[in-house]
Amino acid sequence: MKSVLYLGTKNYSSWSLRPWLVAKKAGFDFEEVVIDFDQPDTKQKIQAVSPSGKVPVWVDEHVRIWDSLAICEYFAEQVPSLWPSDPIQRAQARAVSAEMHSGFPALRSEMGMNVRAYLRGIELSEAAKNDLKRIEVIWTALLEAQSNNPNAEGWLFGRFSIADAMFAPVAIRLNGYAVPMSASMKAYQAQFYADPDFQQWIKDAEEDTLIVPRLEIGQDNEEYNAIQPNDKA
Ligand SMILES: N[C@@H](CCC(=O)N[C@@H](CS)C(=O)NCC(=O)O)C(=O)O
């Protein structure tokens, strides 16, 4: 039996991107099944494969797993290099991954992932601004800690790890909405957009024509959106 990763619509499903990217980096051979959001049969299709009624879900000959981080952990059982090899770094990687998995609710709701959105003008709440600040602190500290590592490849712990996958949707959120970014945030965001596997997800999402109106945050701000990106605040 070929392993299957059930995903939500690639343009919008931030949870789905994470295990998909990790599976790609692990070199797994798997089938992708996208269950589009907000269709008359969406709920039924997700419930048919997912005990929690949510995607992503991984199914192979041994197991069915229905949570993005649990799926990533399962992959790491087979490919341990998906976490840093150093136990201290591995603990830190797990801490920031768990923080991303369980936190940042304001950022999630106000800057929903939308691959096809580009620097849309939005007004962030204080809570969302604080979420962004916290992400900046995490990224900056971890990238600075790698600055003396000759083998660092631009990822949070040098080589790609599950921690990077957890933050991949943030790189897309930062592309979708015009919010201030520090130099280290820009550099780490660029790291994703230069990655061939990440680029494949972007391409798939861009080629998809499904628009889910409730997830099109900031689309009415046409005046702001007409300003050239470099002139935006
Ligand atoms: N904690 C879960 C969250 C998964 C989740 O919220 N999935 C959303 C899509 S990104 C979903 O399936 N929504 C469909 C629904 O709620 O009907 C995980 O990490 O996988």
Side-chain angles (χ1 to χ4, degrees):
M1 165 198 174
K2 192 163 180 178
S3 305
V4 184
L5 185 59
Y6 292 92
L7 307 162
T9 304
K10 283 188 165 178
N11 191 54
Y12 304 108
S13 187
S14 58
W15 296 106
S16 301
L17 166 57
R18 296 169 171 128
W20 181 91
L21 192 56
V22 175
K24 288 282 174 190
K25 294 293 176 201
F28 293 153
D29 182 25
F30 63 100
E31 186 187 337
E32 292 175 34
V33 176
V34 171
I35 302 177
D36 273 325
F37 291 150
D38 287 43
Q39 304 304 298
D41 57 356
T42 301
K43 209 178 171 118
Q44 185 193 342
K45 280 186 171 167
I46 295 181
Q47 280 176 346
V49 296
S50 172
S52 67
K54 301 225 184 281
V55 280
V57 175
W58 174 264
V59 182
D60 66 21
E61 57 183 322
H62 307 291
V63 72
R64 176 179 305 265
I65 316 176
W66 58 88
D67 176 274
S68 58
L69 190 52
I71 297 169
C72 293
E73 287 284 8
Y74 179 65
F75 292 164
E77 304 271 3
Q78 298 155 63
V79 182
S81 61
L82 290 171
W83 287 118
S85 55
D86 175 75
I88 302 300
Q89 290 202 347
R90 197 158 60 243
Q92 290 174 331
R94 284 203 164 103
V96 295
S97 297
E99 185 175 350
M100 185 69 236
H101 190 252
S102 62
F104 305 104
L107 178 107
R108 281 188 211 290
S109 68
E110 295 175 37
M111 294 177 65
M113 189 181 105
N114 183 344
V115 172
R116 297 187 302 251
Y118 182 61
L119 297 184
R120 292 182 180 176
I122 51 167
E123 200 64 53
L124 290 182
S125 67
E126 282 308 306
K129 285 180 190 163
N130 287 336
D131 282 352
L132 271 180
K133 272 191 210 143
R134 174 66 192 140
I135 286 174
E136 181 185 346
V137 167
I138 294 171
W139 289 3
T140 306
L142 292 174
L143 293 171
E144 271 176 12
Q146 288 300 319
S147 59
N148 294 325
N149 174 2
N151 300 318
E153 295 171 4
W155 300 110
L156 294 178
F157 293 89
R159 283 195 339 230
F160 181 89
S161 78
I162 289 169
D164 298 293
M166 294 306 291
F167 287 107
V170 180
I172 297 175
R173 292 171 204 267
L174 290 169
N175 184 65
Y177 308 98
V179 296
M181 268 203 280
S182 68
S184 62
M185 286 178 103
K186 282 185 189 161
Y188 185 53
Q189 183 198 34
Q191 173 79 9
F192 282 103
Y193 278 86
D195 179 79
D197 294 311
F198 183 88
Q199 284 171 357
Q200 180 63 54
W201 179 280
I202 298 294
K203 184 167 175 283
D204 293 347
E206 281 174 346
E207 285 174 1
D208 187 6
T209 54
L210 178 75
I211 292 173
V212 177
R214 77 179 163 89
L215 300 174
E216 289 296 324
I217 298 165
Q219 66 172 345
D220 296 332
N221 200 340
E222 297 296 343
E223 192 182 332
Y224 193 91
N225 289 335
I227 305 170
Q228 289 304 306
N230 290 343
D231 297 334
K232 288 184 176 176

